[in-house]
């Protein structure tokens, strides 16, 4: 039996995969793959096991590749440093179908992983970092400066444990991951990037997970996770549920929070909402160009609803990164960014009037 180099046969991850997990029955959702992926992720964040499993069952039945790739992404986006064992479990489970067959049928592994992810504590610090360094207007000069640096200079920032924001931008350039600040023709070397992290003294297990996650997803968050880990304090951290808006169930029998800009159905609902006379719509018409209004609304909705989690692990760096993302996701110079989010939050009942009718 051959395993990925990241795992060994004595690893507790294998014991979990081979455990006496009671495979639950789940009725697959009758929705598009985009709504199913959104529903699975939102309900993993909220710890809603039944809905998350129904969404996962729909994906496994009709779009299995999307299920496994999305689970790999969620592990780094929503769980991350809060539960590295859970991240490792997801990495093992998403190794490939032949690997999973050694531990049972596909639904057994999928349901085990989704259930475990629902129960895990959550840390969204890495995703908040990515949002901040990609969009915050006060980091525009830093983004410009690093875009002109060489591969050697980028690697030096990582090896030298430079300030987190600069080192993270450097890492994105070295990785050549697809992101808004990518520079065409720039030299990249992901292998050297992860080697630089090890030289910098980042824990080898976290670097290994990041490297495995990057190979699996080709996304930015596995690259940033090891860098964020350098700011993680020792000891027990506070775990706290976010404050959630009231849940509204739509005609499709799904919570309306499953419908956002990450699905065509949700995006269409947001576009209809923008045509209504609301405080949020009036603000956007006054302050944002027409072509950006939908994306700004979607980003704000994510901050006040879609990105909320149960069991959020709170620590200073993660809280700062969350504030940066909250105040800068829109790339606008606002005197009171929190007021805009409060406006969206207050308009959620009007948005739900639109989302309620989505079939």
């Amino acid at each position: 039996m051959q395993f990925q180099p990241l795992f060994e046969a004595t690893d507790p991850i294998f014991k979990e995969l081979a455990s006496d997990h009671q495979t639950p029955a789940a009725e697959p959702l009758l929705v598009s793959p985009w709504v199913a992926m959104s529903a699975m992720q939102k309900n993993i964040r909220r710890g809603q096991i039944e809905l998350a499993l129904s969404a996962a069952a729909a994906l496994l039945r009709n779009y299995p590749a999307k299920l496994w790739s999305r689970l790999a992404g969620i592990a780094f986006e929503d769980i991350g440093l809060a539960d590295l064992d859970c991240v490792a479990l997801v990495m093992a489970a998403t190794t490939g179908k032949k690997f999973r067959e050694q531990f049972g049928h596909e639904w057994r592994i999928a349901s085990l992983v989704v259930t475990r992810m629902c129960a895990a504590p959550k840390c969204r610090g890495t995703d908040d970092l990515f949002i901040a360094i990609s969009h915050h207007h006060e980091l525009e000069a830093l983004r410009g400066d690093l875009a002109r640096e060489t591969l050697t200079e980028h690697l030096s920032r990582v090896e030298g444990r430079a300030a987190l924001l600069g080192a993270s931008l450097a890492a994105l350039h070295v990785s050549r991951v697809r992101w808004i600040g990518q520079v065409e023709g720039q030299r990249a070397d992901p292998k050297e990037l992860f080697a630089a992290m090890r030289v910098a003294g980042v824990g080898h297990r976290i670097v290994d997970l990041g490297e495995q996650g990057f190979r699996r997803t080709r996304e930015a968050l596995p690259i940033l996770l090891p860098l964020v880990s350098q700011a993680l304090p020792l000891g027990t951290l506070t775990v706290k549920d976010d404050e959630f808006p009231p849940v509204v169930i739509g005609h499709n029998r799904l919570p309306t929070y499953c419908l956002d800009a990450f699905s065509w159905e949700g995006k269409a609902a947001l576009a209809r909402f923008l045509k209504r006379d609301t405080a949020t719509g009036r603000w956007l018409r006054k302050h944002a160009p027409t072509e950006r209004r939908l994306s700004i609304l979607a980003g704000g909705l994510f901050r006040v609803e879609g990105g909320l989690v149960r069991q959020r692990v709170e620590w200073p760096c993660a809280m700062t990164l969350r504030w940066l993302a909250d105040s800068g996701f829109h790339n606008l110079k606002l005197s009171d960014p929190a007021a805009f989010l409060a406006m969206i939050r207050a308009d959620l009942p009007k948005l739900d009037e639109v989302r309620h009718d989505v079939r």
Side-chain angles (χ1 to χ4, degrees), residues 68-104:
W68 300 112
S69 64
R70 190 79 294 269
L71 288 175
I74 294 170
F76 289 92
E77 184 175 341
D78 296 316
I79 297 171
L81 295 173
D83 192 339
L84 291 176
D85 287 341
C86 184
V87 176
L89 174 67
V90 177
M91 286 296 96
T94 56
T95 296
K97 188 171 183 178
K98 288 186 177 180
F99 176 83
R100 291 189 292 272
E101 286 175 349
Q102 300 171 81
F103 300 95

Side-chain angles (χ1 to χ4, degrees), residues 291-311:
E291 67 275 9
R292 292 204 59 217
R293 289 170 191 165
L294 182 59
S295 64
I296 292 173
L297 171 62
L301 181 63
F302 182 82
R303 304 311 302 176
V304 305
E305 182 190 65
L308 301 182
V309 300
R310 296 199 185 279
Q311 300 189 79

Side-chain angles (χ1 to χ4, degrees), residues 85 161 220 253 261 264 292 314 359:
D85 287 341
R161 299 175 69 101
R253 295 189 294 178
W264 293 111
R292 292 204 59 217
E314 295 187 332
R359 300 286 181 175

Side-chain angles (χ1 to χ4, degrees), residues 83-336:
D83 192 339
L84 291 176
D85 287 341
C86 184
V87 176
L89 174 67
V90 177
M91 286 296 96
T94 56
T95 296
K97 188 171 183 178
K98 288 186 177 180
F99 176 83
R100 291 189 292 272
E101 286 175 349
Q102 300 171 81
F103 300 95
H105 53 82
E106 291 280 89
W107 177 240
R108 180 189 179 279
I109 302 303
S111 63
L112 183 153
V113 169
V114 170
T115 300
R116 176 74 167 79
M117 294 172 81
C118 285
K122 309 297 191 293
C123 178
R124 288 195 32 78
T126 305
D127 190 45
D128 287 337
L129 168 63
F130 183 54
I131 292 169
I133 61 177
S134 298
H135 300 291
H136 203 294
H137 72 276
E138 291 188 1
L139 300 178
E140 189 170 341
L142 180 63
R143 286 192 290 270
D145 289 343
L146 267 76
R148 292 186 288 271
E149 288 191 352
T150 65
L151 175 64
T152 300
E153 289 171 318
H154 289 320
L155 290 172
S156 178
R157 284 182 180 270
V158 175
E159 287 184 6
R161 299 175 69 101
L164 178 60
L165 300 182
S168 298
L169 284 166
L172 293 179
H173 284 295
V174 175
S175 71
R176 198 62 186 280
V177 72
R178 187 175 63 180
W179 70 296
I180 194 171
Q182 187 180 59
V183 179
E184 288 298 324
Q186 189 176 57
R187 285 185 60 206
D189 194 333
K191 185 176 180 180
E192 284 299 313
L193 171 61
F194 289 107
M197 292 180 185
R198 294 183 178 95
V199 171
V202 182
H204 279 221
R205 186 194 186 202
I206 296 178
V207 178
D208 289 347
L209 282 172
E211 190 167 16
Q212 186 84 352
F214 176 65
R215 290 175 180 171
R216 193 71 42 81
T217 67
R218 292 295 165 179
E219 294 176 355
L221 301 192
I223 293 164
L224 300 179
L225 181 77
L227 300 178
V228 180
S229 73
Q230 296 176 93
L232 187 67
L234 299 175
T236 303
L237 302 177
T238 301
V239 178
K240 184 179 179 181
D241 289 351
D242 289 339
E243 186 174 340
F244 296 93
V247 175
V248 175
I249 304 300
H251 277 315
N252 60 5
R253 295 189 294 178
L254 276 180
T256 54
Y257 61 70
C258 296
L259 296 170
D260 56 16
F262 293 97
S263 68
W264 293 111
E265 297 89 337
K267 190 176 291 186
L270 295 186
R272 290 196 296 273
F273 169 78
L274 281 176
K275 295 178 181 179
R276 291 193 166 195
D277 183 23
T278 63
T280 301
R282 290 191 295 272
W283 188 96
L284 285 167
R285 284 189 286 274
K286 181 178 180 181
H287 296 283
T290 303
E291 67 275 9
R292 292 204 59 217
R293 289 170 191 165
L294 182 59
S295 64
I296 292 173
L297 171 62
L301 181 63
F302 182 82
R303 304 311 302 176
V304 305
E305 182 190 65
L308 301 182
V309 300
R310 296 199 185 279
Q311 300 189 79
R312 185 187 292 268
V313 175
E314 295 187 332
W315 47 292
C317 180
M319 295 170 72
T320 299
L321 293 172
R322 186 181 185 187
W323 174 80
L324 279 172
D326 280 350
S327 61
F329 70 90
H330 39 62
N331 196 23
L332 297 174
K333 297 180 180 180
L334 304 181
S335 59
D336 189 359

